[in-house]
């Protein structure tokens, strides 16, 4: 069964709107862990719009599970990762004007720079993941960089309108997951996943971790962080049970009414 990794950025978003000291993303992370999350992710952005440096430091010594640090491969962030030593560095593209991470990292188009950043993190003893679109060229580039993990961007799947369009995006994810895992990469997936669309993705063979943030934080506003996390884990367990008899495509069609 895929493990759930909870992204707590948007707890910090609510705090930063008022420049207040709550809600505390570290408290939310502890509740997510209590509910069964396998790891916690935060994205330290260049503009510090949500997570602050002190949050990453507090997470580092508070978490009982693993800390994933999502970041751009800049000199500043590489230095922070070397100092804080997260369990996994997740390289993502970053634009100041974007509302959220818009596309996967263009590893193929920036091979030398991404390879150098990846090798620097590996040399520091840190695990490295690349967030990429389900595109075979990008998978080859991740391998060329020596990263052991990739995360498939599920945003196009999540945003697809209608069953046919969503099936087409799901098939790209299936093929990318197969190719990447056969090449020896750990395959994770995330972005835009919700209780409503997670089942087919959670049923993709060999997907190890699902990285989910916004929908859990949104639901937590209504029902609390532990329950929101638990409901997502329950959905992933349900997908696992369905996958015994059904393909991910069948699961998508079953639940697309
Ligand atoms: N994975 C990566 C690499 C991301 O950048 C994000 C968004 O920060 C997520 C997963 C989680 O996406 P969402 O908040 O839409 O669940």
């Amino acid at each position: 069964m895929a493990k759930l990794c909870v992204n707590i950025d948007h707890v910090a978003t609510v705090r930063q709107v008022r420049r207040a000291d709550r809600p505390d993303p570290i408290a939310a992370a502890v509740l997510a862990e209590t509910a069964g999350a396998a790891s916690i992710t935060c994205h330290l952005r260049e503009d510090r719009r949500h997570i602050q440096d002190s949050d990453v430091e507090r997470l580092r010594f508070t978490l009982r599970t693993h800390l994933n640090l999502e970041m751009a491969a800049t000199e500043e962030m590489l230095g922070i990762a070397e100092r804080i030593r997260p369990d996994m560095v997740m390289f993502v593209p970053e634009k100041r004007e974007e509302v959220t991470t818009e596309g996967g990292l263009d590893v193929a188009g920036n091979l030398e720079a991404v390879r150098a950043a990846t090798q620097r993190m590996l040399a520091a003893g840190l695990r490295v993941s690349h967030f990429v679109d389900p595109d075979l060229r990008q998978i080859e580039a991740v391998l060329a960089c020596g990263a052991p993990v990739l995360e498939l961007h599920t945003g196009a799947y999540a945003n697809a309108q209608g069953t046919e369009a969503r099936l087409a995006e799901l098939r790209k994810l299936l093929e990318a997951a197969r190719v990447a895992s056969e090449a020896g990469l750990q395959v994770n997936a995330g972005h835009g996943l919700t209780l409503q669309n997670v089942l087919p993705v959670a049923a993709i063979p060999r997907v190890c971790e699902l990285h989910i943030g916004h929908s859990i934080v949104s639901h937590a506003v209504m029902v609390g962080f532990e329950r929101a996390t638990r409901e997502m884990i329950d959905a992933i367990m349900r997908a696992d049970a369905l996958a015994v008899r059904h393909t991910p495509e069948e699961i998508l069609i079953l639940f697309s009414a």
Side-chain angles (χ1 to χ4, degrees):
M1 188 181 113
K3 293 176 184 164
L4 175 64
C5 304
V6 177
N7 180 315
I8 47 138
D9 291 349
H10 296 305
V11 179
T13 302
V14 176
R15 179 190 63 191
Q16 294 310 113
V17 165
R18 285 295 179 93
R19 304 279 186 273
D21 60 3
R22 59 189 62 183
D24 183 9
I26 287 71
V30 169
L31 291 171
E33 285 188 321
T34 305
S39 67
I40 302 296
T41 302
C42 67
H43 183 176
L44 187 65
R45 281 182 169 268
E46 184 200 8
D47 64 10
R48 308 301 198 268
R49 68 173 72 160
H50 39 52
I51 292 292
Q52 307 296 304
D53 298 58
S54 58
D55 293 327
V56 187
E57 279 162 23
R58 286 195 299 139
L59 283 166
R60 178 65 294 182
F61 64 74
T62 306
L63 295 185
R64 288 177 290 120
T65 60
H66 291 149
L67 171 63
N68 310 309
L69 180 59
E70 202 179 309
M71 58 185 230
T74 61
E75 183 57 38
E76 181 198 19
M77 291 298 156
L78 294 171
I80 291 173
E82 283 168 339
R83 185 169 55 78
I84 294 198
R85 303 192 59 77
D87 296 284
M88 186 159 73
V89 169
M90 296 162 58
F91 285 137
V92 294
E94 197 175 297
K95 286 194 235 121
R96 262 182 184 262
E97 61 278 15
E98 70 192 354
V99 174
T100 181
T101 314
E102 281 168 355
L105 185 65
D106 183 9
V107 185
N110 299 282
L111 195 59
E112 284 320 311
V114 181
R115 190 189 347 234
T118 302
Q119 289 301 320
R120 181 167 157 188
M121 294 294 94
L122 293 174
L126 303 174
R127 194 160 174 79
V128 180
S129 167
H130 291 174
F131 181 54
V132 293
D133 292 330
D135 168 345
L136 302 187
R137 218 175 111 249
Q138 297 297 346
I139 297 173
E140 277 170 22
V142 174
L143 286 163
C145 289
V149 185
L150 65 69
E151 179 180 340
L152 294 173
H153 192 324
T154 52
Y157 160 82
N159 292 331
Q161 299 295 320
T163 307
E164 280 312 312
R166 191 158 280 189
L167 268 175
E169 294 301 332
L170 181 64
R171 289 191 182 114
K172 289 185 202 164
L173 293 167
L174 277 162
E175 175 64 0
R178 185 187 65 75
V179 171
S181 72
E182 282 175 5
L185 293 168
Q186 177 181 322
V187 180
N188 300 335
H191 208 280
L193 296 177
T194 66
L195 284 175
Q196 287 70 40
N197 67 21
V198 75
L199 293 184
V201 175
I204 297 176
R206 297 173 285 239
V207 166
C208 295
E209 297 175 357
L210 294 174
H211 289 253
I212 307 180
H214 186 266
S215 70
I216 292 177
V217 175
S218 308
H219 195 40
V221 171
M222 302 297 169
V223 303
F225 224 91
E226 273 190 78
R227 182 166 151 196
T229 304
R230 223 177 305 115
E231 287 187 19
M232 190 59 79
I233 294 173
D234 287 348
I236 297 170
M237 283 172 67
R238 191 164 172 220
D240 206 46
L242 283 163
V244 174
R245 290 183 196 286
H246 299 285
T247 64
E249 288 112 312
E250 286 169 349
I251 294 171
L252 188 151
I253 291 163
L254 275 171
F255 290 90
S256 65

